[in-house]
Amino acid sequence: MSPTLAVRPTTDLVAVAWLKGVAGVPSGSVATTVPSDNSTWAASGFVQVTTVGGSPEPHMPLRVPVVSVDCWAVNPDSGRPPWGKASTLAELVRDGTLAADVGRTVALPVGGLSARVLSVYALGEARRILDDDASYARYSLDISLAWVAVP
């Protein structure tokens, strides 16, 4: 019989949970993978999270990763990308990094886990990504997210 591994908090889980609590960001449209059926998120847009770097603190249980936040929008009835909607989502994320409640405890969707987000800040301006042939609009923003697991 193989040992059962305990579920642990991860940066992806923490970033998704934190973004779901940002004012104006549609909480049902935040995940690590963009759904292929865009009709489920065309009205609200979608926020995709990808851990891209950073480093854990070597002597404490603190993590300070860099997270790429991609803000997607689509207009299924037109071939024109809705750049304004994608840009607005990115600006809402940036505004969330400046909010008074930026450091808060977030519940994670597995194992009754939670994490304390200590700080979040943008590492630059949101960038328009022009490489999509499917007429999706996408803005990308990198953030630094300092967090610890809550025992």
Side-chain angles (χ1 to χ4, degrees):
M1 185 166 159
S2 63
T4 302
L5 294 176
V7 178
R8 309 270 303 153
T10 65
T11 295
D12 286 348
L13 290 172
V14 173
V16 167
W18 183 83
L19 282 162
K20 285 182 174 187
V22 170
V25 172
S27 65
S29 294
V30 181
T32 58
T33 304
V34 180
S36 58
D37 180 3
N38 64 27
S39 68
T40 63
W41 56 270
S44 61
F46 196 87
V47 178
Q48 180 184 23
V49 172
T50 307
T51 302
V52 295
S55 60
E57 171 61 43
H59 304 292
M60 297 186 312
L62 172 68
R63 299 200 188 182
V64 189
V66 174
V67 176
S68 179
V69 179
D70 290 310
C71 300
W72 295 86
V74 64
N75 184 350
D77 301 325
S78 167
R80 299 187 60 172
W83 292 109
K85 185 183 287 184
S87 174
T88 297
L89 280 173
E91 290 303 315
L92 288 169
V93 171
R94 186 184 175 287
D95 290 350
T97 69
L98 303 172
D101 70 340
V102 69
R104 56 185 151 81
T105 300
V106 295
L108 304 180
V110 293
L113 300 173
S114 60
R116 177 80 180 153
V117 176
L118 304 172
S119 69
V120 182
Y121 59 91
L123 295 173
E125 290 294 321
R127 305 169 306 282
R128 182 187 280 206
I129 307 298
L130 299 169
D131 65 352
D132 191 271
D133 294 329
S135 298
Y136 283 46
R138 178 170 57 132
Y139 271 78
S140 187
L141 173 69
D142 292 335
I143 60 174
S144 177
L145 181 92
W147 66 274
V148 294
V150 174

